[in-house]
Amino acid sequence: MTSHNVQDALENATSDASLARAREVSAKIKEAIAKDPSEFRVLTGDRPTGNLHIGHYFGSLRNRVELQKKGVDTWLLIADYQVITDRDGVGPIKDRVYSLLTDYLAIGMDPQRTTFFAHSQIPELNELMLPFLSLVTDAELRRNPTVKAELDATNGRPMSGLLLTYPVHQAADILFCKANIVPVGKDQLPHLEQARVIADRFEARYGLASSGKSVFPRPQALLSEAESVLGLDGTKMSKSRGNTIELGMTADETAKRIKKAVTDSDRHITFDPVNRPEVSNLLLLAALATNGDPHEIAAEIGDGGGGTLKNVVTEALNEHLAPIRAKRLELAQDPAYLAEVLHAGIARAREQAQATLREVHEAINMVY
């Protein structure tokens, strides 16, 4: 695949036609999982830049638990090296890594069925970047939509080498463990397209073309159909904006946050995401927490106004999150257990990474 063809594939990854194809593939994957989950391995994860919140939970975390319950081999990456792609320090990163792990376990991720690891602790994974970097050009990386988006988010900060190679590092995260499905939103499809390009080029240069043996699977997107949740001020939910509700917050803290949420002056509550985004977002939160319908919740509130709406949302979220928070408090009091879970996951991930790296060395004839 030429440089321009690759660029076209990356830029078109979120086009209407490509999105439709991705949805078709996702539907087939879901059907196949229902029949035989043992055929699949999923890689997903988060950056430890702060505590997880309800946007993460309703957007992706609940789906991870469902995949695990269905029997899919799940690998959960705590992407600590990605923290330094666009900042000068790591902050209290160790605390944040364990906070993420605590959240994962509290929502129901099971260390017997899920492998938790931080990629800074898997040197063999990171070594894969060297041969992978030989498969992409400088121009391709600079035109990569993911790199452009991440660079724009830095507000004019000069691009670091790590940010430039960000898509290659992500490809290493996916391919080292032979993951064949990656849960993503439509905006993240270029990430996965880059990983497929690297896998294809490796196979063409070193794998199938020379030995007849495939080293890497072609990872496919499992598109998220989760509703987009806004922050309590009606803008994008973000830890830095303080418009979130963290999973570890108390019921009182949650109530205080929701009390300050933005609504509007119309006392008659309706679900209208286009014309009333803030009110509709609160209704959506209540619906997600109760498995209800936002239109029906709005009808029940009627002329109750923003105050009643906020009370409904507060009660729904606190009731839904109560068992998660109780489990989280219990886990936080046992740091030895948390360390045991993380170290066991790291050991398994290293074993897999070592096996993959041996295959790569064999394919490129670097076994001495």
Side-chain angles (χ1 to χ4, degrees), residues 6-19:
V6 171
Q7 185 60 24
D8 289 343
L10 293 173
E11 291 181 345
N12 292 332
T14 52
S15 69
D16 290 343
S18 294
L19 186 56

Side-chain angles (χ1 to χ4, degrees), residues 317-349:
L317 281 175
N318 278 337
E319 184 175 342
H320 184 87
L321 295 174
I324 294 173
R325 288 166 168 170
K327 182 65 175 176
R328 196 184 191 286
L329 283 173
E330 178 187 337
L331 288 163
Q333 293 171 4
D334 193 353
Y337 172 71
L338 295 174
E340 179 184 332
V341 169
L342 184 58
H343 294 161
I346 289 170
R348 185 184 179 203

Side-chain angles (χ1 to χ4, degrees), residues 23-222:
R23 284 183 172 138
E24 288 178 11
V25 171
S26 287
K28 291 178 180 178
I29 290 173
K30 290 174 184 177
E31 291 175 2
I33 288 173
K35 293 178 181 177
D36 185 6
S38 67
E39 294 182 7
F40 298 95
R41 173 173 288 176
V42 62
L43 184 282
T44 184
D46 303 280
R47 293 204 300 178
T49 54
N51 297 323
L52 295 179
H53 52 66
I54 56 173
H56 299 120
Y57 177 69
F58 290 122
S60 62
L61 297 178
R62 284 207 302 187
N63 188 49
R64 296 176 192 176
V65 176
E66 288 304 308
L67 286 171
Q68 176 193 262
K69 287 180 179 177
K70 290 174 181 176
V72 177
D73 183 17
T74 303
W75 290 57
L76 220 168
L77 164 68
I78 300 175
D80 51 352
Y81 265 153
Q82 288 182 11
V83 172
I84 57 174
T85 55
D86 57 0
R87 59 193 72 198
D88 295 322
V90 296
I93 193 163
K94 185 174 182 179
D95 291 341
R96 288 173 175 170
V97 166
Y98 277 105
S99 176
L100 256 63
L101 178 61
T102 307
D103 285 333
Y104 295 151
L105 295 172
I107 66 169
M109 302 302 293
D110 182 354
Q112 299 302 315
R113 293 181 286 176
T114 294
T115 302
F116 305 94
F117 65 99
H119 62 190
S120 68
Q121 304 303 299
I122 320 296
E124 297 84 3
L125 179 167
N126 299 298
E127 188 177 336
L128 286 175
M129 282 191 69
L130 291 175
F132 285 178
L133 283 168
S134 75
L135 302 170
V136 296
T137 68
D138 171 79
E140 286 172 352
L141 291 175
R142 291 185 182 279
R143 292 195 302 264
N144 185 288
T146 301
V147 171
K148 287 181 178 180
E150 292 292 332
L151 182 61
D152 288 343
T154 65
N155 298 316
R157 182 188 180 100
M159 188 188 302
S160 69
L162 185 56
L163 179 53
L164 180 63
T165 58
Y166 184 78
V168 183
H169 202 179
Q170 287 193 317
D173 292 336
I174 296 166
L175 296 175
F176 97 95
C177 65
K178 308 293 184 81
N180 54 5
I181 54 173
V182 182
V184 294
K186 64 180 181 179
D187 294 339
Q188 297 168 308
L189 287 172
H191 297 192
L192 209 50
E193 185 60 37
Q194 184 70 78
R196 280 195 291 268
V197 166
I198 288 173
D200 289 345
R201 286 182 175 174
F202 186 91
E203 300 301 342
R205 186 177 297 183
Y206 302 114
L208 291 171
S210 58
S211 67
K213 179 185 176 183
S214 175
V215 177
F216 298 111
R218 297 189 84 245
Q220 299 295 332
L222 187 61

